[in-house]
Amino acid sequence: MNILVVGGAGYIGSHMVKRLRQSGFNPIVADDLSSGRRAAVQNAELHVGDIDDAAFVDQVLRTCQPAAVMHFASSIQVGESVADPAKYYRNNVTATQVLLDGMRAHGVARFIFSSTAAIFGDPAYVPIDEAHPKQPINPYGRSKWMVEQMLEDYDHAYGLKSVCLRYFNAAGADPDGELGECHEPETHLLPLILQAAAGRRPHITIYGDDYATPDGTCVRDYIHIEDLCDAHLLALQQLLAGGGSARYNLGNGNGFSVREVITAAQRVTGREIPVVVGERRAGDPPSLVADSHRARAELGWQPRFANLDTIVAHAWAWERKHAHWPT
Ligand code: UFG
């Protein structure tokens, strides 16, 4: 069964392609390679192009006739979204609509969408469940929430069934060491800490230690990439079995502060990691922790790698092997 993976050359998409293949599906990748890497697409057909190009979408859907589409391609930097919102509305909203309209034209009616904790904005309470108010505070979060709303309307009007998976902090790497996180530029905490541990950066800067949290640094819910892939697979199976549209928050329900992640990295790597305390980063909520009871109850999802040291260990194995991964 063909599954189209849009953004399958990126961090999360490439892990999903591997998982789909292992689970007996035939993943087919569409990626513009603007941030994804050709080397990350293993054992899958790759179509290089932009999904905001209706002719490209039409050609890919015509050739692969997928049973479902998984959509991982988007711009993901909060700060950049404030400076250049046009890029975010174009790449994350407009392009997604082109993809959805292509799906309608080809009668493809199942869609799995990478959403984010950023749709909630500053938390009114934690842990954050699906009912939490959606008040995104930056164009990145707004762009993802707009797509979620579009999907609700497309289901109502056209019967397009979707599952939106709202990731908290995706982290870790393929336990086999074949795939991992490789953003350019890198902005995410764990890879930056590990690059500092490896001596590829002089230090890690903590963005503020005066938050109202136990140690003053921001708290996040780090979720292993393999556990995210499990949730996607379960969502796919639910849709293929005739399930309706659904939204799920995905995290472990455990918050770790920036300092706790650094300490875990020191423990796992056995290295001293130089730390500098800097200014707060604009737009960072003090604490983001998921309530994932719904995913557990409805999808039967059970995180397998909830332990922070395991997440760090897999990311560290990747960092050591693939510091200079080819594009
Ligand atoms: N941090 C540092 N130093 C760094 C980098 C990050 O202290 O060099 C801190 C941040 O302030 C934050 C935590 O580490 O408190 C995690 O930061 P990340 O950038 O790794 O992740 P975010 O929580 O900002 O981002 C995650 C997703 C984004 C998504 C966002 C929505 O990775 O894609 O949640 O809130 F947009």
Side-chain angles (χ1 to χ4, degrees):
M1 186 183 286
N2 291 348
I3 306 295
L4 179 62
V5 184
V6 180
Y11 169 43
I12 305 175
S14 60
H15 286 78
M16 194 65 226
V17 167
K18 180 173 176 179
R19 175 61 64 81
L20 285 165
R21 177 69 73 198
Q22 286 172 338
S23 307
F25 293 96
N26 183 36
I28 295 170
V29 174
D31 200 299
D32 67 0
L33 299 181
S34 61
S35 57
R37 285 157 189 260
R38 197 178 281 277
V41 182
Q42 300 173 353
N43 211 3
E45 188 179 306
L46 169 65
H47 296 255
V48 179
D50 274 319
I51 51 151
D52 66 0
D53 174 356
F56 172 72
V57 169
D58 180 64
Q59 175 253 316
V60 171
L61 290 170
R62 188 182 307 280
T63 345
C64 84
Q65 304 201 332
V69 175
M70 291 187 170
H71 182 26
F72 296 93
S74 73
S75 299
I76 59 166
Q77 291 176 42
V78 170
E80 183 188 55
S81 81
V82 176
D84 188 6
K87 176 175 176 181
Y88 281 71
Y89 292 118
R90 186 175 59 247
N91 288 353
N92 297 0
V93 182
T94 311
T96 302
Q97 190 178 9
V98 173
L99 175 61
L100 293 173
D101 288 340
M103 288 173 57
R104 287 173 55 209
H106 287 272
V108 182
R110 301 180 191 98
F111 189 69
I112 298 181
F113 179 62
S114 298
S115 189
T116 168
I119 66 167
F120 298 110
D122 285 327
Y125 56 85
V126 287
I128 299 172
D129 57 12
E130 286 78 5
H132 186 286
K134 318 306 180 288
Q135 288 165 339
I137 55 171
N138 50 59
Y140 168 70
R142 274 193 278 279
S143 71
K144 292 285 185 172
W145 177 230
M146 282 179 189
V147 172
E148 285 207 19
Q149 292 171 288
M150 194 192 297
L151 287 169
E152 201 176 319
D153 293 337
Y154 271 47
D155 183 3
H156 193 224
Y158 312 125
L160 193 147
K161 301 297 172 201
S162 63
V163 177
C164 297
L165 298 175
R166 298 155 176 172
Y167 315 151
F168 280 62
N169 286 62
D174 172 22
D176 302 337
E178 289 178 351
L179 299 165
E181 188 165 8
C182 212
H183 296 109
E184 193 56 57
E186 190 53 76
T187 61
H188 293 100
L189 179 66
L190 184 54
L192 290 174
I193 291 174
L194 295 178
Q195 287 174 13
R200 293 175 60 210
R201 288 179 188 269
H203 56 255
I204 180 72
T205 303
I206 296 179
Y207 294 148
D209 67 352
D210 57 351
Y211 286 94
T213 58
D215 67 13
T217 67
C218 287
V219 170
R220 294 288 181 274
D221 186 339
Y222 295 89
I223 165 93
H224 198 292
I225 185 86
E226 287 294 298
D227 291 328
L228 283 185
C229 288
D230 285 352
H232 283 77
L233 199 58
L234 291 164
L236 175 64
Q237 286 159 347
Q238 183 168 279
L239 285 178
L240 292 174
S245 294
R247 281 88 185 89
Y248 299 110
N249 293 359
L250 296 180
N252 286 309
N254 291 322
F256 291 98
S257 72
V258 173
R259 279 201 191 279
E260 285 174 320
V261 179
I262 295 170
T263 303
Q266 279 173 338
R267 201 164 46 231
V268 168
T269 64
R271 302 196 180 184
E272 274 304 307
I273 300 172
V275 173
V276 170
V277 176
E279 296 295 307
R280 289 183 176 196
R281 184 173 66 178
D284 274 342
S287 182
L288 287 174
V289 178
D291 178 335
S292 295
H293 281 96
R294 187 190 282 179
R296 289 169 190 262
E298 293 184 11
L299 293 176
W301 180 63
Q302 181 66 48
R304 292 180 290 136
F305 300 103
N307 183 289
L308 181 61
D309 284 20
T310 308
I311 295 175
V312 174
H314 290 163
W316 177 236
W318 165 256
E319 163 63 32
R320 300 192 81 183
K321 264 175 81 177
H322 294 274
H324 304 287
W325 212 25
T327 52

